[in-house]
Amino acid sequence: MEALFSLVVGVLTASGIYLLLRGRTFPVIIGLAMLGYAVNLFLFSTGGLNTHAAAVIGESLTPTDPLPQALVLTAIVIGFAMTAFVVILAIRARSELGSDHVDGQQGEEGDAR
Amino acid sequence: MSLLWIPLLTIVGTLVPVMTSRRGRKVCVATTLIAPLAALLLVLLHAPTVIGGEVVSMQLSWMPLLGLDLALRIDGLTLLFAVLILGIGSLILLYAGFYLSAEEDDGRFLSYMMLFMTAMLGIAMADNLILLWLFWELTSISSFLLIGFWGHRSDARRGARMALTVTGAGGLALLAGFLLIGQAAGSFALSEVLAAGDAIRASANYPLILLLVLFGAFTKSAQFPFHFWLPHAMAAPTPVSAFLHSATMVKAGVFLMARLNPALGDTALWAITLSLVGLATLLYAAWFALLERDLKGILAFSTVSHLGLITLLLGLGSPLAIVAAVFHILNHATFKAALFMSVGIIDHETGTRDIDRLGALWSMMPLTGTMTILAGAAMAGFPPFNGFLSKEMLFEQSLVNDVLGALSGLIPMLVVMGAILSVGYSLRLVWSLFFAAPKLTREQKAQPPMKVHDPARGMLAPGLFLAAMSLLVGLFPMTLAAPLVNAASLAVQGDTTPLFTLALWHGINLPLVMSLAAVAGGVLVLINHKRFAAIAALFPARDASLAFEAVMLRLIKATLWLTLRLENGSLQRYQALLILTALVMTGIGLSQLNALTGERGLQPLDGMLLLGAGLMIFGAIGSALSHRWRLVSLLMLSVVGLSVSLTFVRFSAPDLALTQLSVEVASMILMILALFFLPQRPPLLVSGRRIVRDLVLAASLGLIVAMLNYALLTRETLTIADYFLREALPGGGGTNVVNVILVDFRGFDTLGEITVLTLAGLATFKLLNRMRLFMPAGNLEGIRWSRHRYPLILAVVAQILLPLALLVSVYIFLRGHNQPGGGFIAGLITSVALILQYMARGHDWTRQRLPLSYAVVAVSGLAIATATGLGSWLFGYPFLTSAFGHFHIPLIGEIELASAMLFDVGVYLAVVGATLMILINLGRITTVHRPSLEER
């Protein structure tokens, strides 16, 4: 199970990074969100992968570590704020520059500058 | 505590001239003088104790963890410097009042002078190395302001910049040296550092410490080969030069060496470095002083030369050599300040500082002449002036030194050569200015001869006083100087008390013969000055400032080259570099693990897990592959997002699952909205090389992250969970530990979090302002958007759902402290419910029924959360301390209320406000800009 979980996190990371390296704003935003999932899962897993062990007192005899959960909860919300900001920035950038290329100009995507 | 008042007075004094400069020059100078004179009085009150051999000190904790204390001390060395800084400083302030022309900004000038005085005083008084360094940097900065005071002149700007660069670089080295000293001595407190001399000298870092500290001291004191900035600093107004280059700035370097002598001195390395650098500086600068034509340039080089002399004495290091060094610090400050003042007067009256154009001034300016002759004689080391006494001591000590082993005999010879040159340039200064005829060119002769006279008495008085002091100290050294010199050298040498007598006449001995030789040699040098000048003319003139500028220019070019390499403006390049760095660093970390799999046992797999993992991998890869079909890519992303939420459910994180789910909805709406404003099908223009590069990068980092995660998951980790689980109920009054952590244990973090969220909302609001929009009128196939804007079924369902959704969010909110839920999740559910209304009915319709400004909602949420935190101050607890209690409400029964609940209300409002602010504002522009499609 641990191996499977790590595999998923790894695939999510790889996909996120690949999208992050694209030249247009929209894939970059998606990549950012994808990388966010991977990071959240990773951080969450530092508390251990426990079943039926919610960190609510009285529910379980061996509750899981609540701290990573609290951190990831705020990370999810902040991640949303960041995504929102980048989305609006991308829209604004296109409106100002007339292009949705991350470098602000209509060039070849693979332009090796 | 009275110690603290001394620098405080001068700090306050920096404000005085700015406030009083409107009331005229006299009032301004007079009021400015109050602070330094009062500070001088305070210092003198401590003088009897200090001369008695005690150290007065005080200490206030500032940043104890960093070893930085506000600690001040007055020992003998401090006393000597404080008297020089404040005494000569006050005289120069008085002089500056006359020197500055009427239209110049005296308020600003005097304020800078006071700032500089404070900084110097701080260096002299600091009883903590870091504090000393802070003041050291302050002298660099304030001297920059002073040297560049005439900022309209390019030479002033260049001189100021050069001084700042050189002394600033030295300052940085000094900080590094101080940190190493602190490490070796175990403390930054000066008293402890001075006592830990043996430990420092024994440490392996000693040569490095010495290198760094001496670099700082040599740059400040303009020692060879860092002397070049000082002559260029002469672009400053003369009172600045008189202050900075006689009593203060350049003396800070020798002060530092003297101060740290007990900690760093008394080794062969110290003695040899200081003696050689001192000797080289002494001779080199004296030679240039002899050839210089600019009056202030002569004085600048002679200052450098005399500083070399002091460094040499500190290097010789015998008890009497240190007495001589301290004594010469005092003497040099006195006569050099007087000389700068007289040169300033001559410049002021005649309008030139060129020694060749001036001459025969004696008959016109007898008082200035007297002053220059007295101070010049002291500089040359003629009896019975104070300069003679310290120079005689130098001769004597150079004869008995053994610093250079068998070569030690060279030192007295070289010292005599330096003395000859010193007599030579002093005589030349006095002779050419007052007695020789000016060497004028034909045009200059054609002009009417200068009509000049002595300046106002107030301008003469400070210089005359100092010149008289050099004579009086020479005549009565035991009365006027010995106690101070004794106390100061006691501080420099640690515990030993040298016995010495300062006297003019020691009988006929070798030092006296050396003095006589120096005088005779000096006269010969003066007579043959033209020949020396001719020899010097054989060498190409080298302007240090040009060389300096060239080095600077090369440095700037190199950094520019590097910057352009790294920063080419391509985000893709930056990200690739960043990811590569992360890859390498994580790889290095992983390679240091013994085995990938840790000691913890593995858990079994089951079908649900496989299905979930399969979905996520499918979504992730699909999203990456289909990134050009943007809607598909987005849907794939949401598959992953929802599966993440299910993962949280499976692994005991109900709060996370709820949050992820509601955030997922909000962000999908957001991104679909965004799709509307972005090109629907980007052009396919990408090189295969780029794709391969990105694939390799992405796959490698994915692999590394997977391995890292696996390694982590299979190991036991240390956790602080027990604390939270134990304290949640008794300390935070809630059973849902995650929520208690959010609103109580780590409430400050959460406050920061919702602040960021609100800021993001406000920023998007601003970004969307006045935007030109690219909006397609139809889809890719050219089919126009549907004319039916609001689907009826959705509208009906949404309306029915709203009260239910709100009820659910209230429920989730209320139970949040004990069961999964809380402000974050409730806020997201409310937002989603409201957004549904907007989607179903449009912005205008909803707006009429719900006239809320979401910015106000978000900000008031923040305000409530902050106020809750501040509320605990009222009860004398730290920020964000929570309180809770049980209340009995009729009909409803026993309920529990915690102040954390109020905090959670703030969180709730902030989340609702920020989320809606983002989505509604983006959604609204589609409504506003689409009137042409409107069907009426």
Side-chain angles (χ1 to χ4, degrees), chain A residues 38-53:
Chain A
V39 170
N40 285 344
L41 282 177
F42 188 106
L43 286 182
F44 166 71
S45 75
T46 58
L49 300 177
N50 305 311
T51 25
H52 304 297

Side-chain angles (χ1 to χ4, degrees), chain B residues 133-190:
Chain B
W133 182 79
L134 284 175
F135 282 116
W136 183 277
E137 290 301 272
L138 189 60
T139 58
S140 294
I141 294 165
S142 50
S143 68
F144 172 79
L145 294 172
L146 281 169
I147 297 171
F149 182 72
W150 285 326
H152 56 275
R153 284 172 31 184
S154 76
D155 61 334
R157 291 198 301 272
R158 211 167 41 231
R161 213 159 48 221
M162 194 191 283
L164 184 66
T165 315
V166 176
T167 58
L172 288 180
L174 189 64
L175 178 62
F178 279 176
L179 293 179
L180 287 176
I181 290 182
Q183 210 177 43
S187 165
F188 289 114
L190 198 58

Side-chain angles (χ1 to χ4, degrees), chain A residues 1 5 44 48-54 64 69, chain B residues 603-612 643-654 657:
Chain A
M1 190 177 82
F5 188 91
F44 166 71
L49 300 177
N50 305 311
T51 25
H52 304 297
T64 186
Q69 293 196 14
Chain B
Q603 298 181 48
L605 276 175
D606 61 45
M608 282 309 287
L609 284 174
L610 276 175
L611 181 66
S643 314
V644 167
S645 168
L646 291 175
T647 315
F648 289 142
V649 173
R650 165 72 192 241
F651 295 117
S652 329

Side-chain angles (χ1 to χ4, degrees), chain B residues 21-313:
Chain B
S21 73
R22 259 174 300 146
R23 307 186 176 258
R25 181 64 56 87
K26 276 188 182 148
V27 178
C28 181
V29 173
T31 49
T32 308
L33 275 171
I34 296 172
L37 288 179
L40 182 62
L41 189 68
L42 281 178
V43 170
L44 289 178
L45 285 180
H46 289 290
T49 332
V50 173
I51 286 175
E54 283 178 52
V55 176
V56 188
S57 61
M58 58 83 53
Q59 184 179 354
L60 285 178
S61 262
W62 185 359
M63 285 182 245
L65 283 178
L66 297 180
L68 174 56
D69 290 316
L70 191 60
L72 300 174
R73 65 146 67 195
I74 297 190
D75 59 8
L77 191 63
T78 311
L79 183 66
L80 172 70
F81 270 86
V83 168
L84 287 179
I85 294 161
L86 293 167
I88 296 187
S90 304
L91 291 172
I92 287 170
L93 289 178
L94 182 64
Y95 172 81
F98 292 93
Y99 179 86
L100 292 178
S101 59
E103 62 271 21
E104 269 177 303
D105 188 351
D106 47 2
R108 187 164 66 97
F109 182 82
L110 294 176
S111 179
Y112 289 168
M113 287 289 271
M114 289 302 297
L115 182 68
F116 182 80
M117 198 187 283
T118 311
M120 271 313 293
L121 207 54
I123 291 184
M125 293 184 70
D127 199 10
N128 179 295
L129 284 183
I130 305 295
L131 186 68
L132 194 159
W133 182 79
L134 284 175
F135 282 116
W136 183 277
E137 290 301 272
L138 189 60
T139 58
S140 294
I141 294 165
S142 50
S143 68
F144 172 79
L145 294 172
L146 281 169
I147 297 171
F149 182 72
W150 285 326
H152 56 275
R153 284 172 31 184
S154 76
D155 61 334
R157 291 198 301 272
R158 211 167 41 231
R161 213 159 48 221
M162 194 191 283
L164 184 66
T165 315
V166 176
T167 58
L172 288 180
L174 189 64
L175 178 62
F178 279 176
L179 293 179
L180 287 176
I181 290 182
Q183 210 177 43
S187 165
F188 289 114
L190 198 58
S191 42
E192 288 178 41
V193 168
L194 295 185
D198 290 330
I200 298 173
R201 279 185 287 266
S203 85
N205 280 332
Y206 176 73
L208 185 60
I209 292 177
L210 205 59
L211 183 77
L212 291 167
V213 170
L214 289 184
F215 181 66
F218 287 169
T219 48
K220 201 73 153 187
S221 276
Q223 294 297 290
F224 184 82
F226 309 111
H227 59 279
F228 55 86
W229 67 266
L230 204 146
H232 288 276
M234 291 300 141
T238 303
V240 173
S241 315
F243 194 34
L244 265 61
H245 306 133
S246 67
T248 53
M249 173 89 164
V250 294
K251 287 281 166 64
V254 288
F255 170 83
L256 187 74
M257 290 186 265
R259 173 57 98 205
L260 292 177
N261 183 50
L264 298 177
D266 206 17
T267 62
L269 190 60
W270 166 275
I272 292 173
T273 317
L274 258 60
S275 323
L276 288 183
V277 171
L279 257 181
T281 314
L282 168 67
L283 288 169
Y284 181 90
W287 169 253
F288 281 96
L290 190 66
L291 299 171
E292 183 64 49
R293 282 177 58 184
D294 177 17
L295 287 180
K296 280 176 78 177
I298 296 175
L299 293 183
F301 278 115
S302 101
T303 299
V304 175
S305 169
H306 278 268
L307 289 165
L309 191 158
I310 297 169
T311 309
L312 168 65
L313 279 168

Side-chain angles (χ1 to χ4, degrees), chain A:
Chain A
M1 190 177 82
E2 279 79 3
L4 189 67
F5 188 91
S6 324
L7 177 71
V8 169
V9 172
V11 171
L12 257 57
T13 311
S15 159
I17 300 252
Y18 182 75
L19 287 167
L20 210 56
L21 289 170
R22 296 303 91 212
R24 306 279 157 182
T25 49
F26 195 73
V28 172
I29 295 167
I30 294 203
L32 213 54
M34 190 74 82
L35 197 62
Y37 293 149
V39 170
N40 285 344
L41 282 177
F42 188 106
L43 286 182
F44 166 71
S45 75
T46 58
L49 300 177
N50 305 311
T51 25
H52 304 297
V56 176
I57 289 167
E59 297 260 312
S60 147
L61 284 178
T62 50
T64 186
D65 191 342
L67 189 60
Q69 293 196 14
L71 296 181
V72 170
L73 200 154
T74 48
I76 294 173
V77 179
I78 285 286
F80 170 67
M82 186 188 64
T83 311
F85 185 75
V86 177
V87 163
I88 309 279
L89 199 62
I91 296 174
R92 179 85 203 200
R94 193 204 175 198
S95 122
E96 296 287 320
L97 307 166
S99 154
D100 70 332
H101 196 274
V102 286
D103 300 340
Q105 57 213 41
Q106 194 83 37
E108 192 198 3
E109 186 168 322
D111 192 359
R113 288 194 314 127

Side-chain angles (χ1 to χ4, degrees), chain B residues 551-564:
Chain B
V551 171
M552 284 293 126
L553 213 62
R554 230 171 296 154
L555 209 61
I556 290 170
K557 266 190 190 153
T559 35
L560 206 63
W561 177 84
L562 189 68
T563 311
L564 285 178

Side-chain angles (χ1 to χ4, degrees), chain B residues 274-276 278-284 286 305-306 308-313 316 380 390-401 404 407-423 425 511 514-515 517-519:
Chain B
L274 258 60
S275 323
L276 288 183
L279 257 181
T281 314
L282 168 67
L283 288 169
Y284 181 90
S305 169
H306 278 268
L309 191 158
I310 297 169
T311 309
L312 168 65
L313 279 168
L316 294 180
S390 40
K391 194 163 279 189
E392 196 93 322
M393 289 167 83
L394 167 69
F395 289 150
E396 196 184 328
Q397 290 307 308
S398 70
L399 286 170
V400 297
N401 87 87
L404 299 181
L407 288 177
S408 303
L410 283 176
I411 293 184
M413 293 184 217
L414 292 173
V415 165
V416 172
M417 269 185 67
I420 291 174
L421 290 172
S422 164
V423 171
Y425 63 70
M514 289 161 85
S515 285
V519 173

